[in-house]
Amino acid sequence: MSLVARWPAVEYADAPFFPPATVPSRVDVRLPDESSLSRRSVGSALVAAALSCALVAPGLVVPAYARIASAALVAFGVALAVRATASAVVAFAPRSPPTAPESPLPAATVVVTAYNEAEVLPATVDACAALDYPDDRLEIVVGYESASTDGTAAVAEAAADRDPRIVATERDGSPGGKASATNHALASASGEIVAVLDADQRPEPGALRRAVRWFRDDDVACVKGRCFGTNPDASPVALCATVERAVAERAEFYARDLLGGFALFTGGQAFFRADALTREGAFDESVLLEDLDMAYRLQRAGGEIRVDPGIVTRETNPAAIAAWWHQRKRWARGGMQVARRYLGANLLSGPPSSLARADFAATLGALLALPILTLASPLAAIAWGLTPGGRPFGLAALVAGVVAGPLVASYLVLAVDARDGRRHERSEYVAPLLLWPYFLLQAGAVVAAFVDEFVVRRTAVYVTSASGSDGE
């Protein structure tokens, strides 16, 4: 029997802190080319500008307001920089999974979902077929959207024709986002362990065997490995994204788990105990960040998520600025939707642990604070240059803590990878110097998500980051 056939309906009993926005049961999906500059985009920019003026204007007449806001900006930046640096230090700590299970290995299904990704899908399917796992225990399900127009269907069906371990399954109708595609593909999955991969995530041969070892602990519901970027030289934005993702995947996510914080996984790559998915129900098709939603649900039910950077899939980061922008905006708004749902009284009791709940609240709180502080950032200049007593509020802390922190974290992660034999391109050693302009651009995407979710309250749209050559 398939997983989906056994799934219960998804219910949310805990009261949210924020009133929920109106969202459809399944999000609409568009390509980046279909979501370029429009009157709606210009309108969002004008709304953001108006909000910024409203936040900044009092600082022109009330010096204390500007100084307090400036101090908040510095404190926020320093906190993020310290966290990134501390996570990178923790990344040096080694950890191995439990010993391999006795034969036979559990049956495993690798699910790959694709929409207009004919360019990257063949390499991913080949990598899945080359996994070091017994043929009679491995199943590969390639779920593709019938709406694909670039030959994705032909790639999937050809793979199924040549390899009896591969099943190609077509989802009819208009595309419904990653959660919808995953739910459809899981209907064909039969393994005890289920890996879910994006079409651009190419697993290394030993990834599945290593992930399976963690499930010897009955409390482990999910295992998250590391996504390793492979196209840093495709464009400046791909270069910065590769290094940013290296810090997040190798340090931030790993440190969360190692120190008992809120462990999470990304939709690009994760391994699940099938029974845990059965208990928790389908991935939520109404949110833009179904992986964060599922991470909370699994841990709320008492399951644990292990993060192991030794489990590696190689990914393709968006090279086009439009694809990257829509990806980051989608991630940000999806996190805000999860914040609406779960930041409430349910965090007062476990599971998970009190530390994990506090970390979860801090993570989503920082996501909600970032756009507000970005819009209010001109107050720092006002506090520095226009108001009496503004200058003491932390130029040294701003430069040393905020600017230097990401640089230190990036080079520490590169050092960890050098120790572990992971090779990076030469350009990646220069990329940390470019991160601050990149972060400012990313802050703009977060502000745009905030405006859409909380101010104009637009219906959520899943804009893919795949326009032919970029990953989903």
Side-chain angles (χ1 to χ4, degrees):
M1 182 182 294
S2 71
L3 291 176
V4 173
R6 302 197 303 267
W7 278 350
V10 181
E11 297 181 356
Y12 304 98
D14 296 317
F17 182 78
F18 298 98
T22 301
V23 295
S25 59
R26 178 178 295 160
V27 295
D28 186 23
V29 177
R30 298 177 190 168
L31 296 172
D33 297 341
E34 302 170 318
S35 302
S36 57
L37 186 65
S38 64
R39 285 181 294 179
R40 294 178 67 179
S41 300
V42 173
S44 293
L46 292 175
V47 170
L51 287 173
S52 181
C53 289
L55 290 168
V56 171
L60 297 173
V61 294
V62 183
Y65 172 82
R67 290 198 296 271
I68 293 172
S70 179
L73 284 165
V74 171
F76 184 79
V78 169
L80 294 183
V82 168
R83 177 165 183 145
T85 304
S87 296
V89 171
V90 171
F92 280 90
R95 184 171 64 167
S96 297
T99 56
E102 299 178 359
S103 296
L105 291 168
T109 300
V110 179
V111 170
V112 181
T113 57
Y115 170 46
N116 276 344
E117 289 172 298
E119 184 171 341
V120 297
L121 183 59
T124 299
V125 173
D126 288 346
C128 292
L131 284 166
D132 178 19
Y133 212 77
D135 288 346
D136 63 342
R137 311 298 290 170
L138 177 62
E139 173 187 58
I140 302 166
V141 176
V142 182
Y144 64 91
E145 300 281 355
S146 64
S148 296
T149 58
D150 68 341
T152 295
V155 172
E157 295 293 345
D161 288 342
R162 69 173 181 265
D163 191 329
R165 299 172 301 171
I166 300 176
V167 176
T169 176
E170 180 183 62
R171 182 182 172 278
D172 293 326
S174 60
K178 175 65 187 295
S180 180
T182 301
N183 288 337
H184 179 267
L186 284 172
S188 301
S190 60
E192 301 168 60
I193 306 299
V194 179
V196 176
L197 306 178
D198 280 353
D200 67 334
Q201 297 286 341
R202 304 171 297 281
E204 293 187 347
L208 181 56
R209 271 187 182 267
R210 184 174 176 111
V212 164
R213 289 166 61 183
W214 287 107
F215 290 105
R216 296 205 71 182
D217 182 346
D218 292 338
D219 293 330
V220 174
C222 171
V223 176
K224 187 261 185 293
R226 177 186 181 180
C227 303
F228 190 93
T230 59
N231 63 327
D233 294 330
S235 72
V237 71
L239 173 60
C240 291
T242 298
V243 173
E244 176 211 18
R245 292 274 289 161
V247 174
E249 294 277 332
R250 183 61 184 87
E252 164 69 9
F253 293 167
Y254 180 52
R256 284 174 177 271
D257 179 28
L258 203 62
L259 299 179
F262 179 76
L264 49 82
F265 64 89
T266 56
Q269 176 239 81
F271 302 78
F272 300 92
R273 191 185 300 276
D275 287 347
L277 289 180
T278 299
R279 288 192 300 270
E280 290 311 307
F283 285 91
D284 193 324
E285 300 179 12
S286 69
V287 295
L288 297 175
L289 208 60
E290 77 291 333
D291 45 9
L292 180 58
D293 176 84
M294 180 61 80
Y296 178 81
R297 287 161 53 193
L298 288 173
Q299 291 173 87
R300 183 66 171 166
E304 295 181 2
I305 297 176
R306 290 282 82 83
V307 178
D308 182 354
I311 302 167
V312 177
T313 57
R314 296 180 174 271
E315 69 177 3
T316 303
N317 283 300
I321 187 67
W324 174 88
W325 173 273
H326 287 298
Q327 181 190 68
R328 300 314 166 99
K329 181 182 174 184
R330 184 178 76 239
W331 290 354
R333 188 170 183 190
M336 293 170 188
Q337 291 174 325
V338 173
R340 279 185 179 275
R341 177 171 290 169
Y342 296 121
L343 282 186
N346 64 90
L347 293 180
L348 297 178
S349 61
S353 69
S354 57
L355 178 59
R357 298 196 307 275
D359 190 29
F360 179 72
T363 299
L364 295 183
L367 177 62
L368 297 176
L370 177 59
I372 298 172
L373 292 173
T374 299
L375 293 171
S377 60
L379 287 167
I382 294 173
W384 173 256
L386 300 180
T387 63
R391 295 188 181 185
F393 276 89
L395 180 60
L398 181 65
V399 173
V402 180
V403 176
L407 302 181
V408 173
S410 298
Y411 286 116
L412 285 173
V413 167
L414 291 171
V416 171
D417 281 343
R419 181 201 67 180
D420 296 341
R422 292 270 169 203
R423 180 182 175 275
H424 288 269
E425 300 296 330
R426 291 182 180 179
S427 57
E428 294 178 68
Y429 292 89
V430 179
L433 303 176
L434 307 175
L435 285 180
W436 271 107
Y438 173 84
F439 288 156
L440 292 176
L441 185 61
Q442 186 159 251
V446 177
V447 168
F450 179 84
V451 169
D452 283 355
E453 179 68 17
F454 290 101
V455 184
V456 298
R457 297 171 67 85
R458 289 199 177 104
T459 299
V461 175
Y462 189 109
V463 182
T464 75
S465 51
S467 55
S469 60
D470 295 320
E472 188 177 10

